[in-house]
Amino acid sequence: MRTDDDSWDIKTSVGSTALFVAAARALAGRAPDAPARDEFAELFVRAAGPEWVDLLEGRAPEHPLLTPDFGAQFQQHQIARTRYFDDFMTAAAAAGIRQVVILAAGLDSRAYRLPWPDGTVLYELDQPQVLAFKRNTLTAAGHKPIAERHEVAVDLREDWPKALREGGFDPDAATAWLIEGLLIYLTPAAQDQLFDAVAALSAPGSRVAIEQMDPLPAEAVAAMSEGDDSGSEWVSMIYNEPRTDSTEWFAGRGWTGQRVRLTDYIRDLGQTLHSAGPQQQSLISLVTVTR
Ligand SMILES: C[S@@+](CC[C@H](N)C(=O)[O-])C[C@H]1O[C@@H](n2cnc3c(N)ncnc32)[C@H](O)[C@@H]1O
């Protein structure tokens, strides 16, 4: 169960979700028609230990990421969202934005992977031990970021705007913000606080990209909770409560934006939906708002 001030490393609690989604990206990116690729995902997953190497090398056929229902759907979800947020960043850079903030960066490799224009400064916020795993892995492999990358080791339920400013963030410069795979790990109140902070730090021209998920139906939660697998563990980490709709929240403050259902987005990418799995995919939306 979660508490208001819990913390974690890359293998425990919410930190382990960063590894899980990176593994999904690594596996999904192998498909010839994958809509995106994250060549750093495999590096992180391999560094996490032998059980993760087994997953990548086909020695863990029972792993949840490889099941024909949940696994296939989850991989499809992850790689589609990678594409959506890659495109968001590329468009922001093309529009002249040179300051980027990735909230709950986890094992996001965009600082190393996307063709950032010279002068782009990128901030990654996450728990200290998650950022340390990432830094150690990248340093050991000799990788250098393309953007000027700054780590801000912080809990996003605390005064992260202060830490971000102290890290060099310029509130007068337009910013591209990313909130991917985060909101369900925050209470609805913590989400509202996060949005307040993002809006307060956003100069005109700023943009925010968000993954949001509607609450799971009670029956789905009950069914998942009964198991003793990664599904029940995950359900115990999320706050499955009604929360502010991202697009409406920003629209109410004068921002403009669009929201697309993940399932529609996957179809728009020309992919066939894996419909055999749980209903989770249909609860997810991808949102872009601009000030
Ligand atoms: C599912 S992962 C997503 C990581 C990354 N955005 C991605 O999509 O690959 C969730 C991330 O949120 C981070 N996170 C969740 N709650 C947080 C909090 N209160 N403070 C800092 N980081 C948090 C976790 O450490 C983890 O890295």
Side-chain angles (χ1 to χ4, degrees):
M1 267 307 164
R2 301 287 310 279
T3 57
D4 286 346
D5 60 352
D6 52 349
S7 63
W8 47 81
D9 61 22
I10 195 68
K11 291 207 191 176
T12 55
S13 182
V14 188
S16 68
T17 66
L19 203 45
F20 195 79
V21 298
R25 285 197 289 272
L27 293 168
R30 291 174 173 176
D33 64 344
R37 292 191 207 285
D38 175 359
E39 56 273 31
F40 292 88
E42 178 154 346
L43 176 74
F44 293 127
V45 176
R46 283 187 183 278
E51 70 278 27
W52 291 97
V53 177
D54 285 349
L55 167 65
L56 293 177
E57 295 190 351
R59 291 190 295 272
E62 308 296 320
H63 193 282
L65 283 173
L66 298 179
T67 59
D69 45 16
F70 170 80
Q73 229 185 57
F74 193 75
Q75 283 194 36
Q76 184 171 52
H77 162 194
Q78 295 305 308
I79 205 71
R81 87 182 194 191
T82 300
R83 169 66 178 273
Y84 181 90
F85 295 123
D86 281 0
D87 286 354
F88 165 82
M89 288 300 186
T90 308
I97 294 180
R98 296 288 179 268
Q99 181 165 259
V100 177
V101 180
I102 303 183
L103 297 169
L107 302 176
D108 184 306
S109 66
R110 291 188 175 89
Y112 295 78
R113 193 162 67 65
L114 296 185
W116 300 105
D118 286 350
T120 304
V121 183
L122 183 151
Y123 297 88
E124 294 190 1
L125 281 67
D126 209 300
Q127 292 258 352
Q129 295 186 77
V130 171
L131 291 175
F133 169 82
K134 183 175 186 175
R135 180 186 336 111
N136 294 339
T137 307
L138 289 164
T139 307
H143 291 295
K144 301 251 179 330
I146 296 166
E148 180 187 317
R149 173 176 175 267
H150 297 269
E151 293 180 2
V152 183
V154 73
D155 191 304
L156 291 165
R157 295 161 294 189
E158 290 171 4
D159 192 359
W160 60 266
K162 180 169 179 279
L164 182 60
R165 281 166 176 270
E166 285 171 2
F169 174 85
D170 177 4
D172 295 324
T175 301
W177 300 86
L178 177 56
I179 305 175
E180 177 184 18
L182 168 64
L183 295 180
I184 48 169
Y185 303 106
L186 298 178
T187 63
Q191 172 182 316
D192 287 348
Q193 270 178 25
L194 186 98
F195 284 178
D196 276 334
V198 167
L201 291 170
S202 288
S206 295
R207 304 172 179 201
V208 190
I210 304 163
E211 182 189 35
Q212 77 168 50
M213 185 174 147
D214 298 338
L216 288 158
E219 320 81 72
V221 175
M224 288 171 91
S225 305
E226 277 165 17
D228 58 355
D229 54 4
S230 60
S232 64
E233 202 185 319
W234 180 72
V235 147
S236 73
M237 286 189 268
I238 65 169
Y239 293 95
N240 189 52
E241 297 161 32
R243 53 183 66 237
T244 309
D245 177 86
S246 311
T247 321
E248 285 174 17
W249 192 95
F250 282 95
R253 284 150 186 85
W255 295 51
T256 54
Q258 323 146 14
R259 160 184 174 160
V260 61
R261 287 258 169 214
L262 175 68
T263 44
D264 291 334
Y265 182 68
I266 290 172
R267 283 195 206 93
D268 290 349
L269 288 173
Q271 307 266 310
T272 306
L273 280 172
H274 290 293
S275 52
Q279 296 307 303
Q280 232 163 281
Q281 257 190 353
S282 61
L283 301 174
I284 291 166
S285 298
L286 303 169
V287 172
T288 298
V289 288
T290 302
R291 186 181 165 203

